[in-house]
Every structure is written in C-alpha cells, then in structure tokens.
Amino acid sequence: MTQLEINGLFAEYSPSLPILEDVSLKIETGEIISIIGPSGSGKSTILRVLVGLLHPSQGHVIVNGTEVNYKSPSALKSMRDTMAMVFQQFNLFQNMSVLRNVMIAPLKIKKEPEAEVEARAKEYLEIMGLGEKFDAYPDQLSGGQQQRVALARALALRPKILLLDEVTSALDPEMVNEVLDAIRVLSTKGITLIIVSHEMAFVREVSDRVIMMDDGKVVEIGTPDEIFTAAKTQRCRDFISNIIQH
Amino acid sequence: MIQQFIDQAPIFFTLNNGLYWLRALMTTLSMALIGCVVGFIFGFVLVYFRTSPIPWLLPLRALLIAYVEIFRRIPFLVLTFLILFASRGFGFQLSLFWVACVTIVLIATAYIAEIIRAGIEAVHRNQWECADVMNFSRARTMLYVIVPQSWVFIVPPAFSYFIMFIKETSLTSQIGTMELMSAGKYFNSIGISPLMAYGTCLLLYFALSYPLTRLGRRIEVRLKNRFKGNMATLRASDQ
Amino acid sequence: MSYTLQWGVAFDYLPYFLGGALVTLHLTFLGFLAGLIIGITTAVAQVYGSPLMQRTANIYVVFFTNTPSLVTAFFIFFGLPEFGILLSPYLCILINLALNAGAFLADVFRSGIQSVKTTEMEAAEIMGFSLFQKVQYVIAPHIAKTLYPPISNLYIIFILGSALASIFGVEELTGRAFNVDSETFRSIEIYTIAATIYVLMTFAASFALALVGRYVFRVKARMF
C-alpha cells in the first residue's frame, strides 16, 4: 500500500534559489528508503518539507491517501502526528532529563496517561541501551548517546513514518556504529523509514530502495544493488565511485 | 565637623530613629520589588505577543514595539511627575507610594521586555523546529522548552535592573514618598548635619545594593555552570 | 475633578524647552567624555595596576555603582562647600555625572580588556607583533566591537539620568519643565512635552551613535 506519495515537488528558501525541482516519489508502508547524494542536493530538504518545516512552492504531498494542505494548521498537525524526525544535531531539549525528553510530547501534547508513557519511554530507552541514563541531562551525554535518546524520543511518538536526517554526520567516528546499530534494531519493527545518510555501507545493508539525488532532482531510484553496482546514470556512477574510493 | 558629629550622635542614634530608617528602607525595597516583579510579568506577556507570528496581531505588535522604545527613553523623574499629575488630574486617588510603583512598572516592563526578548532569541532556533515537528503549540514550546533555557540569559541582566531600580527610587523622594532619600532629607531638616543624614542614607543604599550585586554575580555563575554543556552543544550546531 | 488638557500654553514654551534639551546634551556629553577618561584609567589600574592602585580603583567602582547618583550628587553639592570649594550647580552635576559614568564605564572597559582572547594574543606574539601593532591589530578592533554597544547604551541611560540635575537648579530640560510648571500649572502637558523631547533626543542620539559605530568601528548596531 502506498503510504506516502510526492508529486512534482518544488521547494525553495528564496525564489532565486530552488532547492527541490520536480521531485516525485512513492513510498510503501514499512519500506526502508535511503536518500543519498552530494551535499546541497536537497536530500534533507525533502524531509523538511515532509514535516512542514518548509512549505513546497509547487507539487503535492499525499500521506495515506490524503493530500496535505500546507496552508491548514490542522492538516499539518495531523501529518506531523504520523511522522517523527531525528535531526543531525540531536536537538534534545537541553532543560530536560533524558526520560523527560522522551516523555514530554506523548504526555503533554498527545495527552496520553503518564504511567503508560513512562513505561514506554523506559522501554525504548532500554532498547537504545540507555537504561542507566534516565535522569541524566543531554549535556552530560556523549553525542552518540544523545542521538540514541533522540531516536527513543522519536519512537515514543509511535510514528508511522520515521525520518532520519543525517543522524550520524555530527558524531565522532567511534560513535557512529552505536547509532547505526540502534537504527538496525528499528529497521525490523515495520516502521517506514526514510534515511538521509552518507554511510554508504549502512545504506546498502538496510535499505529496500535507494534514491540518488543531485542538484535538487531525483537522478535515479533503485534497489541497493542496482544503485551501488549497476547504476544506469553516469552521475550516479561517478558519485558512487567517488564515495567508495574515499 | 567631627565635633558636630559627636554632639549629634546621641540624638541621632536612637531606637525610634532606627525604626524610622528601617521603615524607609523597607519602602525603598518594596517599591523596587513590586515594580520589578510586576514589570517582569508584564514584560513576559508583552514579549509573548510581540513575537507572535499571527498576522492580525500586527497592529498590536507595532504598539508593543513603540511602547518598549518610548518607555526606555523617558527619564524616571519626568515620568514620576507625569504619573503623579496625570493620576491627580484624571481623578485617580493613588497614594504617592503607588504613583512610584506605577512609574517603576511602566519603565521596568519596557526594559525587562527587551531582556526577555534577547534571552528568548538566544535559545537556538533548532529547539523551536524540533518542538514544531513534535506538534508543540507556540505557547507550549515557550513554556516547556524555550523559557526554561532562556533563564540563563534573562536572570542576570534582569537582576542588575532590579538593583538599578532600587537606586532610581531615590528620585521618588521628589514627590514625597517616604523612602530612604526622604528619610535623609527629613533628618537634615530637623537639624542633623547633612553629612550624618545623607551619609546614613548612602550607607543604607550601599547595604542594599552591594550584597544584591554580589548575589547577582553568584546566580550568574551558577546558571552559566548549569548550562555550560548546553552552550557548547548549541555552538557546535552552529557550524 | 477632571482635568482639561490645554496644549497651547505649554507649546508656547517649546523654544525654551529645546534650549533646555541643548543644555542636557552638552552636560551629558561633557560628563560622559570625562567619564570615558576616568573609566579607561580606572580599568587599566584595575587590571595592570599595583595592588594599592587596584584596591583604590575597585573601591571607587564599587562605591559609585552601588549608590544612587542622587545621593552622591547631594554629597558633592553640599559637601564641597564645607571644604571651601564653591562650584556652580552645573559643575557639581557635571562632576557627579563624570564620576558615576566613570565607574560604570570602568566595569565595561575592564571586562573588555579581560575578554581579549589569549589565543589571538599568542598568535600576535608568534608573528612578532610589536606592542603598538598588538594594540592596533588585536586589542583595539576587539575592544571597538565588544565595547561600543554597551557604551552607547550607557550614554542613553546617562542622558535620562541627567534629569536629576533639575533638583539642584540646573536649567536643563527637566529643570525648565519645573520652571514652566510652577508658572503655568499645566503639569500634564508640560511633562508630556518634556518626555517627548527626551524620547526624540535619545532616538537621535542612538541613531548618531549607530552611524558612528557603523562607519568608525564597523559595528552593526541594531536600532530596534
């Protein structure tokens, strides 16, 4: 079943600077999609449009068969209810403990019962290997730990679609693997994942499909094997061979 | 001069006079405290509406900006007289104490609103985005995320303004509120040497202001330590 | 009892008020200029001076930043004659402004001197800068950028603070408002006009300071 459909999407930060040009995608429920491409190719911008941080200038976003009206706050709200996003810079709330960070949105925004939220938050933190860090504050944690808290926080919202925006790019090299391991655990849970990443080996391992982007346009879409070993376009082959060499 | 001092000491240093000074001290302190606490609350409300993104609030926002810009540019003394005569002229029977408090509230609101706005702007915008994505409303983002993080930027300068207002209240002696400066004038008028009368006045202001200044520094250091890691993360994310 | 506003009478005195504003401006300008000199000297003494100089400078700063300028003005006004020094009210207020401004400015300058980054100084050291070059290329630009905004803010605050000169009979803006008030009894109108002139005057001063900051010190000051 098609869960998310993007049709002819254009987006820009200012009229003279188009970021996305005519992007179309279809994503099935439970699929794991990775978006790759050079910096500035518009990968992260797609995610920002999907959560409504940036409004498209043209085109449609269709979530579960309903087109999102970006002008309507309630439509944006219900779209965000189906999605959760993890940022490159973790963006944990600095004034809250780890547990509170995970609990705050389900508790105060979705108004779910506290005992249930707390149990769930603790469960997700345990899955992320943070069972002993409930009362720590973000600034007492390493980058890798913070990013795992951010993952637990996103999961606690029980999203249908989880967006991961370069979640390992701001981490020290030795912490990348602990976060990737956490995402591997997620990838078996049946949540739709949209991953923007530069970790090519990881992308190849977990993805169902890979989208190659360049200069605001989709260059190629295919299975990991197709993209990494038998890309049809020259641009994609160049990008892959550059990455593999380095 | 010293002879005069010794002569007047027994008349001046009595229990009754001590109580008189104490009452004056409390008046000074309560004016500044009432003015700043109310000004702080108003300042928050003002900033909340001033930074509102709702289009039809635009006229209100313009009005609030004008308020802040104007009331930070009127001398305390002039505004005190204006409030005094306006309240009398338009039939509000405010006591002198409350005239002084209203003046401080009007000015403190403008000053503290600027501090609060700067404090809120100092919290990194990715905290807003993140709360946005999790469907936090503006009010809830402020309440749960932004305001708790902006204390470190707001409290130290707001505290310095509080101390500044303690000193400014001396000007309300001109309309006759019975605060410290008036007490000095009173004792001078009943024949106590100016050095002794105003000297006591000076010492008492110093005794109020200096410990509070030190306290303010300690609060600042403590807040900065608490948020040290926070600042580091935020700086890193600016790259 | 209701008061009817009559602006005509008060407006007749507008030229007189504007003359007062001019007095306010040169009083604060001179006072602040003296304050700048005192402030720099004090800050240098606080950071580089001998222990005795440091202590004296600290006492001066702590004293003036923790006492109302109205009270210190009383001391200068009534205290100096006791020592046989007779000065005009204008001079007394000028001294008081300068001493107060000096203390607050010393605080600003001291934190400015202390905030010059050691790494930048080390880099200058390694590149073999002379003392003069260090001042020219490292210290001065840094001080201009970090100190200019708080100093211009202080100047505005001192314009407002100079209203207390009226209490001692100096005929600056507020003093002239007192005079007209006691002649015409149109208090609300008169103080409104005085307040308006203060607002316009400080706006003009902020604007001028922002321009100077922009073109002389390359500081992008924010007016609002």
Side-chain angles (χ1 to χ4, degrees):
Chain A
M1 193 188 110
T2 305
Q3 187 173 35
L4 183 68
E5 198 178 332
I6 298 172
N7 273 332
L9 196 72
F10 285 76
E12 62 215 9
Y13 289 106
S14 69
S16 58
L17 203 78
I19 307 289
L20 293 180
E21 290 181 72
D22 197 16
V23 171
S24 298
L25 295 173
K26 260 187 192 173
I27 294 171
E28 308 294 318
T29 307
E31 217 180 355
I32 298 174
I33 298 281
S34 292
I35 308 178
I36 60 170
S39 301
S41 60
K43 309 179 298 276
S44 296
T45 310
I46 294 187
L47 302 192
R48 291 176 70 82
V49 170
L50 284 179
V51 291
L53 286 176
L54 181 67
H55 293 194
S57 53
Q58 279 181 55
H60 315 276
V61 174
I62 298 157
V63 182
N64 289 323
T66 324
E67 185 180 339
V68 178
N69 174 8
Y70 278 85
K71 293 210 172 62
S72 144
S74 65
L76 277 181
K77 211 161 145 29
S78 68
M79 175 176 67
R80 284 169 177 162
D81 270 337
T82 64
M83 297 190 201
M85 181 156 169
V86 179
F87 298 84
Q88 184 178 356
Q89 301 294 347
F90 336 133
N91 294 5
L92 294 181
F93 298 136
Q94 302 292 329
N95 54 315
M96 300 175 195
S97 70
V98 164
L99 188 61
R100 184 87 179 146
N101 254 291
V102 179
M103 287 174 63
I104 182 96
L107 191 64
K108 298 289 182 186
I109 308 303
K110 296 194 165 179
K111 312 271 186 204
E112 294 171 21
E114 178 154 7
E116 191 188 305
V117 171
E118 185 169 341
R120 182 153 37 105
K122 286 183 170 165
E123 184 196 329
Y124 285 127
L125 284 168
E126 305 264 0
I127 293 174
M128 292 294 148
L130 293 162
E132 281 154 21
K133 298 286 184 189
F134 292 163
D135 297 322
Y137 278 82
D139 55 9
Q140 297 163 332
L141 301 178
S142 72
Q145 288 170 328
Q146 289 194 53
Q147 196 58 294
R148 284 183 282 145
V149 176
L151 280 165
R153 180 175 67 174
L155 286 177
L157 292 162
R158 288 193 285 202
K160 304 280 186 294
I161 305 171
L162 182 58
L163 312 174
L164 305 177
D165 184 10
E166 300 197 29
V167 291
T168 56
S169 299
L171 296 178
D172 292 337
E174 71 266 25
M175 291 168 188
V176 169
N177 279 326
E178 62 183 66
V179 172
L180 293 183
D181 284 339
I183 301 172
R184 279 191 191 95
V185 175
L186 284 185
S187 66
T188 61
K189 302 254 176 205
I191 304 172
T192 308
L193 284 180
I194 305 179
I195 302 169
V196 169
S197 180
H198 290 294
E199 298 291 331
M200 291 305 157
F202 176 75
V203 163
R204 197 170 171 180
E205 172 200 332
V206 300
S207 312
D208 295 321
R209 279 192 297 156
V210 177
I211 296 167
M212 161 77 195
M213 284 194 70
D214 188 27
D215 210 12
K217 300 180 194 72
V218 174
V219 176
E220 200 168 335
I221 303 180
T223 63
D225 284 342
E226 285 168 2
I227 295 286
F228 285 94
T229 57
K232 294 187 201 82
T233 56
Q234 186 59 38
R235 181 73 194 91
C236 193
R237 279 196 293 274
D238 289 348
F239 178 72
I240 301 290
S241 68
N242 261 329
I243 296 270
I244 305 292
Q245 272 169 22
H246 288 278
Chain B
M1 205 160 66
I2 293 174
Q3 190 54 47
Q4 195 185 15
F5 198 87
I6 295 166
D7 288 344
Q8 287 184 343
I11 320 165
F12 185 62
F13 294 105
T14 62
L15 181 65
N16 260 343
N17 288 355
L19 286 174
Y20 190 92
W21 281 107
L22 186 67
R23 221 172 52 219
L25 187 90
M26 293 317 283
T27 308
T28 289
L29 195 60
S30 30
M31 285 193 295
L33 206 60
I34 292 172
C36 285
V37 168
V38 179
F40 201 87
I41 297 166
F42 285 2
F44 248 109
V45 177
L46 192 153
V47 170
Y48 185 78
F49 286 105
R50 180 175 170 176
T51 54
S52 164
I54 303 171
W56 54 264
L57 280 180
L58 205 69
L60 177 68
R61 286 168 58 192
L63 210 67
L64 294 176
I65 292 172
Y67 176 88
V68 169
E69 287 304 325
I70 289 172
F71 279 81
R72 281 161 66 220
R73 295 169 185 282
I74 300 176
F76 188 81
L77 188 61
V78 174
L79 194 63
T80 311
F81 276 108
L82 195 55
I83 300 296
L84 175 71
F85 290 121
S87 64
R88 296 292 180 273
F90 297 111
F92 298 103
Q93 286 310 311
L94 283 179
S95 72
L96 294 173
F97 176 82
W98 286 106
V99 168
C101 286
V102 168
T103 312
I104 302 171
V105 166
L106 287 173
I107 295 184
T109 300
Y111 274 112
I112 297 176
E114 273 306 275
I115 295 173
I116 293 173
R117 189 181 63 124
I120 281 172
E121 280 176 2
V123 177
H124 203 281
R125 84 190 132 70
N126 65 25
Q127 298 277 313
W128 280 101
E129 284 189 349
C130 183
D132 226 17
V133 169
M134 299 203 313
N135 262 338
F136 280 59
S137 64
R138 206 174 95 82
R140 283 183 197 280
T141 308
M142 280 271 193
L143 179 68
Y144 294 129
V145 180
I146 305 298
V147 170
Q149 291 186 51
S150 56
W151 285 132
V152 60
F153 309 108
I154 294 173
V155 173
F159 204 78
S160 326
Y161 272 111
F162 169 57
I163 297 167
M164 187 187 93
F165 278 111
I166 289 180
K167 290 178 279 168
E168 291 271 85
T169 54
S170 61
L171 290 169
T172 64
S173 62
Q174 286 306 108
I175 61 167
T177 56
M178 291 314 293
E179 43 66 74
L180 273 180
M181 188 68 208
S182 302
K185 283 183 183 168
Y186 164 74
F187 282 106
N188 188 30
S189 73
I190 60 166
I192 303 292
S193 80
L195 195 70
M196 193 129 94
Y198 294 121
T200 312
C201 199
L202 198 71
L203 279 178
L204 288 174
Y205 274 114
F206 189 83
L208 266 184
S209 166
Y210 185 64
L212 285 172
T213 309
R214 295 297 289 262
L215 179 66
R217 295 252 164 82
R218 280 182 58 177
I219 293 174
E220 187 173 356
V221 168
R222 181 164 294 189
L223 279 171
K224 287 229 166 99
N225 283 338
R226 165 69 193 86
F227 279 89
K228 208 161 46 190
N230 177 7
M231 304 299 161
T233 349
L234 294 182
R235 267 199 300 277
S237 63
D238 267 334
Q239 295 164 358
Chain C
M1 182 182 85
S2 193
Y3 186 93
T4 331
L5 294 173
Q6 289 171 16
W7 294 96
V9 190
F11 270 118
D12 289 344
Y13 287 92
L14 203 55
Y16 181 66
F17 284 140
L18 291 177
L22 218 58
V23 177
T24 295
L25 277 181
H26 62 71
L27 176 68
T28 51
F29 184 79
L30 292 176
F32 206 71
L33 209 61
L36 280 171
I37 297 163
I38 299 173
I40 293 172
T41 319
T42 311
V44 169
Q46 278 178 309
V47 179
Y48 302 110
S50 66
L52 180 70
M53 281 162 79
Q54 284 185 9
R55 184 164 302 169
T56 319
N58 285 342
I59 289 174
Y60 160 67
V61 172
V62 167
F63 179 81
F64 276 94
T65 51
N66 284 297
T67 47
S69 56
L70 178 61
V71 187
T72 53
F74 261 86
F75 268 84
I76 292 168
F77 201 78
F78 295 113
L80 289 184
E82 298 250 346
F83 298 97
I85 305 169
L86 291 169
L87 297 174
S88 71
Y90 182 91
L91 267 179
C92 285
I93 293 301
L94 192 65
I95 293 170
N96 187 50
L97 270 178
L99 288 174
N100 266 290
F104 281 97
L105 287 167
D107 256 353
V108 176
F109 281 119
R110 185 176 47 81
S111 59
I113 294 173
Q114 286 169 342
S115 73
V116 174
K117 294 200 178 67
T118 46
T119 50
E120 283 179 23
M121 284 303 274
E122 279 165 9
E125 196 76 45
I126 291 163
M127 289 192 283
F129 280 26
S130 69
L131 180 65
F132 181 73
Q133 283 170 322
K134 276 186 212 158
V135 170
Q136 187 184 2
Y137 294 112
V138 183
I139 301 174
H142 173 83
I143 286 185
K145 272 218 175 76
T146 54
L147 298 194
Y148 190 74
I151 290 175
S152 13
N153 268 343
L154 267 181
Y155 183 60
I156 302 299
I157 289 176
F158 272 88
I159 291 183
L160 303 182
S162 72
L164 71 83
S166 61
I167 297 169
F168 301 91
V170 177
E171 292 194 336
E172 40 70 81
L173 183 48
T174 311
R176 291 191 181 192
F178 282 173
N179 293 348
V180 178
D181 184 28
S182 58
E183 267 175 47
T184 64
F185 301 105
R186 306 303 318 169
S187 313
I188 300 179
E189 296 88 331
I190 285 157
Y191 288 111
T192 306
I193 289 172
T196 311
I197 297 175
Y198 271 109
V199 171
L200 296 176
M201 187 162 70
T202 50
F203 257 124
S206 294
F207 188 67
L209 285 167
L211 278 185
V212 171
R214 187 144 176 70
Y215 292 107
V216 180
F217 296 106
R218 305 189 182 283
V219 184
K220 275 191 198 135
R222 197 170 132 167
M223 278 285 294
F224 296 102

